Tab-separated table of all heavy atoms in Angstrom:
chain	number	residue	atom	x	y	z
A	91	CYS	N	-3.750	-14.528	-10.570
A	91	CYS	CA	-3.933	-14.512	-9.116
A	91	CYS	C	-2.768	-13.872	-8.367
A	91	CYS	O	-2.989	-13.046	-7.481
A	91	CYS	CB	-4.172	-15.930	-8.603
A	91	CYS	SG	-5.705	-16.649	-9.239
A	92	TRP	N	-1.533	-14.269	-8.689
A	92	TRP	CA	-0.397	-13.711	-7.965
A	92	TRP	C	-0.266	-12.207	-8.193
A	92	TRP	O	-0.130	-11.451	-7.225
A	92	TRP	CB	0.899	-14.434	-8.342
A	92	TRP	CG	0.977	-15.806	-7.762
A	92	TRP	CD1	0.791	-16.975	-8.415
A	92	TRP	CD2	1.232	-16.137	-6.394
A	92	TRP	NE1	0.904	-18.035	-7.550
A	92	TRP	CE2	1.184	-17.544	-6.292
A	92	TRP	CE3	1.488	-15.404	-5.253
A	92	TRP	CZ2	1.405	-18.218	-5.099
A	92	TRP	CZ3	1.708	-16.087	-4.060
A	92	TRP	CH2	1.660	-17.468	-3.997
A	93	PRO	N	-0.304	-11.745	-9.452
A	93	PRO	CA	-0.221	-10.287	-9.649
A	93	PRO	C	-1.374	-9.527	-8.990
A	93	PRO	O	-1.169	-8.444	-8.436
A	93	PRO	CB	-0.263	-10.128	-11.174
A	93	PRO	CG	0.182	-11.435	-11.716
A	93	PRO	CD	-0.277	-12.453	-10.724
A	94	GLU	N	-2.558	-10.106	-9.020
A	94	GLU	CA	-3.722	-9.460	-8.387
A	94	GLU	C	-3.514	-9.353	-6.870
A	94	GLU	O	-3.787	-8.314	-6.257
A	94	GLU	CB	-4.981	-10.267	-8.697
A	94	GLU	CG	-6.258	-9.654	-8.199
A	94	GLU	CD	-7.477	-10.498	-8.561
A	94	GLU	OE1	-7.462	-11.150	-9.618
A	94	GLU	OE2	-8.433	-10.488	-7.752
A	95	SER	N	-2.998	-10.416	-6.275
A	95	SER	CA	-2.729	-10.424	-4.844
A	95	SER	C	-1.654	-9.387	-4.483
A	95	SER	O	-1.783	-8.657	-3.497
A	95	SER	CB	-2.281	-11.821	-4.409
A	95	SER	OG	-1.932	-11.843	-3.058
A	96	ARG	N	-0.606	-9.330	-5.298
A	96	ARG	CA	0.466	-8.347	-5.056
A	96	ARG	C	-0.052	-6.911	-5.186
A	96	ARG	O	0.341	-6.035	-4.413
A	96	ARG	CB	1.622	-8.570	-6.025
A	96	ARG	CG	2.465	-9.747	-5.649
A	96	ARG	CD	3.741	-9.778	-6.490
A	96	ARG	NE	4.310	-11.099	-6.408
A	96	ARG	CZ	4.243	-12.023	-7.362
A	96	ARG	NH1	3.663	-11.753	-8.518
A	96	ARG	NH2	4.766	-13.214	-7.186
A	97	ARG	N	-0.916	-6.660	-6.171
A	97	ARG	CA	-1.470	-5.310	-6.327
A	97	ARG	C	-2.285	-4.918	-5.103
A	97	ARG	O	-2.192	-3.790	-4.616
A	97	ARG	CB	-2.331	-5.219	-7.593
A	97	ARG	CG	-1.535	-4.992	-8.850
A	97	ARG	CD	-2.435	-4.623	-10.017
A	97	ARG	NE	-3.439	-5.625	-10.309
A	97	ARG	CZ	-3.264	-6.696	-11.078
A	97	ARG	NH1	-2.087	-6.906	-11.655
A	97	ARG	NH2	-4.240	-7.546	-11.284
A	98	ALA	N	-3.098	-5.858	-4.592
A	98	ALA	CA	-3.901	-5.577	-3.393
A	98	ALA	C	-2.987	-5.276	-2.206
A	98	ALA	O	-3.215	-4.330	-1.450
A	98	ALA	CB	-4.818	-6.756	-3.073
A	99	ARG	N	-1.928	-6.080	-2.060
A	99	ARG	CA	-0.969	-5.858	-0.969
A	99	ARG	C	-0.270	-4.512	-1.118
A	99	ARG	O	-0.147	-3.753	-0.158
A	99	ARG	CB	0.065	-6.977	-0.951
A	99	ARG	CG	1.076	-6.825	0.183
A	99	ARG	CD	2.367	-7.554	-0.084
A	99	ARG	NE	2.988	-7.042	-1.291
A	99	ARG	CZ	3.916	-7.699	-1.974
A	99	ARG	NH1	4.308	-8.883	-1.599
A	99	ARG	NH2	4.456	-7.166	-3.062
A	100	ASP	N	0.179	-4.194	-2.317
A	100	ASP	CA	0.901	-2.939	-2.548
A	100	ASP	C	0.013	-1.722	-2.316
A	100	ASP	O	0.471	-0.715	-1.776
A	100	ASP	CB	1.495	-2.913	-3.954
A	100	ASP	CG	2.620	-3.922	-4.130
A	100	ASP	OD1	3.143	-4.422	-3.103
A	100	ASP	OD2	2.972	-4.222	-5.292
A	101	ARG	N	-1.270	-1.798	-2.701
A	101	ARG	CA	-2.202	-0.697	-2.420
A	101	ARG	C	-2.358	-0.507	-0.920
A	101	ARG	O	-2.361	0.613	-0.410
A	101	ARG	CB	-3.575	-0.963	-3.055
A	101	ARG	CG	-3.679	-0.593	-4.514
A	101	ARG	CD	-5.115	-0.629	-5.002
A	101	ARG	NE	-5.805	-1.875	-4.724
A	101	ARG	CZ	-5.829	-2.935	-5.521
A	101	ARG	NH1	-5.194	-2.912	-6.679
A	101	ARG	NH2	-6.482	-4.025	-5.176
A	102	CYS	N	-2.479	-1.607	-0.198
A	102	CYS	CA	-2.621	-1.550	1.258
A	102	CYS	C	-1.357	-0.976	1.889
A	102	CYS	O	-1.431	-0.129	2.783
A	102	CYS	CB	-2.928	-2.941	1.798
A	102	CYS	SG	-3.226	-2.998	3.562
A	103	TYR	N	-0.184	-1.408	1.425
A	103	TYR	CA	1.080	-0.866	1.933
A	103	TYR	C	1.134	0.646	1.731
A	103	TYR	O	1.560	1.389	2.608
A	103	TYR	CB	2.270	-1.491	1.207
A	103	TYR	CG	2.723	-2.844	1.700
A	103	TYR	CD1	2.019	-3.561	2.657
A	103	TYR	CD2	3.878	-3.421	1.187
A	103	TYR	CE1	2.439	-4.799	3.087
A	103	TYR	CE2	4.314	-4.658	1.611
A	103	TYR	CZ	3.594	-5.344	2.567
A	103	TYR	OH	4.037	-6.559	2.989
A	104	ALA	N	0.716	1.096	0.550
A	104	ALA	CA	0.736	2.531	0.252
A	104	ALA	C	-0.179	3.295	1.205
A	104	ALA	O	0.154	4.393	1.661
A	104	ALA	CB	0.324	2.769	-1.192
A	105	GLU	N	-1.337	2.709	1.535
A	105	GLU	CA	-2.257	3.355	2.476
A	105	GLU	C	-1.647	3.454	3.873
A	105	GLU	O	-1.795	4.468	4.556
A	105	GLU	CB	-3.582	2.599	2.529
A	105	GLU	CG	-4.406	2.738	1.273
A	105	GLU	CD	-5.634	1.839	1.278
A	105	GLU	OE1	-5.954	1.240	2.333
A	105	GLU	OE2	-6.270	1.728	0.213
A	106	VAL	N	-0.951	2.396	4.294
A	106	VAL	CA	-0.306	2.413	5.612
A	106	VAL	C	0.779	3.489	5.644
A	106	VAL	O	0.857	4.283	6.584
A	106	VAL	CB	0.288	1.030	5.967
A	106	VAL	CG1	1.165	1.102	7.212
A	106	VAL	CG2	-0.828	0.018	6.167
A	107	ARG	N	1.610	3.535	4.598
A	107	ARG	CA	2.664	4.554	4.550
A	107	ARG	C	2.069	5.960	4.503
A	107	ARG	O	2.570	6.874	5.155
A	107	ARG	CB	3.583	4.316	3.353
A	107	ARG	CG	4.556	3.170	3.569
A	107	ARG	CD	5.596	3.111	2.473
A	107	ARG	NE	5.041	2.948	1.138
A	107	ARG	CZ	4.746	1.776	0.575
A	107	ARG	NH1	4.947	0.664	1.231
A	107	ARG	NH2	4.237	1.722	-0.640
A	108	ALA	N	0.988	6.133	3.756
A	108	ALA	CA	0.344	7.449	3.659
A	108	ALA	C	-0.215	7.892	5.005
A	108	ALA	O	-0.250	9.079	5.303
A	108	ALA	CB	-0.758	7.421	2.611
A	109	SER	N	-0.634	6.937	5.824
A	109	SER	CA	-1.181	7.297	7.129
A	109	SER	C	-0.108	7.886	8.051
A	109	SER	O	-0.428	8.519	9.046
A	109	SER	CB	-1.840	6.095	7.797
A	109	SER	OG	-0.878	5.169	8.263
A	110	HIS	N	1.174	7.672	7.708
A	110	HIS	CA	2.280	8.214	8.501
A	110	HIS	C	2.941	9.410	7.830
A	110	HIS	O	3.925	9.929	8.346
A	110	HIS	CB	3.331	7.125	8.759
A	110	HIS	CG	2.875	6.125	9.755
A	110	HIS	ND1	3.107	6.265	11.097
A	110	HIS	CD2	2.165	4.980	9.613
A	110	HIS	CE1	2.576	5.240	11.732
A	110	HIS	NE2	2.003	4.457	10.861
A	111	ASP	N	2.415	9.825	6.702
A	111	ASP	CA	2.976	10.965	5.976
A	111	ASP	C	2.831	12.222	6.811
A	111	ASP	O	1.777	12.491	7.385
A	111	ASP	CB	2.249	11.130	4.641
A	111	ASP	CG	2.808	12.249	3.799
A	111	ASP	OD1	3.895	12.762	4.120
A	111	ASP	OD2	2.150	12.615	2.810
A	112	ARG	N	3.879	13.007	6.883
A	112	ARG	CA	3.847	14.204	7.726
A	112	ARG	C	2.854	15.235	7.217
A	112	ARG	O	2.462	16.126	7.944
A	112	ARG	CB	5.240	14.788	7.882
A	112	ARG	CG	5.802	15.409	6.626
A	112	ARG	CD	7.184	15.953	6.781
A	112	ARG	NE	7.429	16.453	8.103
A	112	ARG	CZ	8.604	16.730	8.598
A	112	ARG	NH1	9.656	16.547	7.850
A	112	ARG	NH2	8.766	17.195	9.799
A	113	HIS	N	2.423	15.141	5.954
A	113	HIS	CA	1.450	16.081	5.403
A	113	HIS	C	0.019	15.536	5.500
A	113	HIS	O	-0.923	16.201	5.078
A	113	HIS	CB	1.790	16.419	3.957
A	113	HIS	CG	3.147	17.049	3.825
A	113	HIS	ND1	3.448	18.273	4.377
A	113	HIS	CD2	4.287	16.603	3.260
A	113	HIS	CE1	4.706	18.566	4.129
A	113	HIS	NE2	5.249	17.562	3.462
A	114	ASN	N	-0.125	14.347	6.045
A	114	ASN	CA	-1.442	13.754	6.246
A	114	ASN	C	-2.171	14.555	7.329
A	114	ASN	O	-1.606	14.823	8.391
A	114	ASN	CB	-1.261	12.287	6.687
A	114	ASN	CG	-2.563	11.565	6.901
A	114	ASN	OD1	-3.536	12.125	7.382
A	114	ASN	ND2	-2.570	10.300	6.536
A	115	PRO	N	-3.422	14.949	7.094
A	115	PRO	CA	-4.147	15.750	8.094
A	115	PRO	C	-4.222	15.084	9.469
A	115	PRO	O	-4.111	15.746	10.491
A	115	PRO	CB	-5.539	15.910	7.490
A	115	PRO	CG	-5.359	15.712	6.028
A	115	PRO	CD	-4.217	14.751	5.880
């Protein structure tokens, strides 16, 4: 459960950071 929860959080964090990437359309 804990690793699964962390993976879900980390994927979401990556999506948020990607939304601010200067190369993002």
Side-chain angles (χ1 to χ4, degrees):
C91 296
W92 287 104
E94 185 179 328
S95 176
R96 284 190 197 104
R97 278 192 302 275
R99 181 203 60 199
D100 292 344
R101 277 191 307 271
C102 184
Y103 278 7
E105 290 173 10
V106 170
R107 284 190 301 273
S109 73
H110 287 270
D111 183 12
R112 70 181 328 165
H113 300 296
N114 181 323

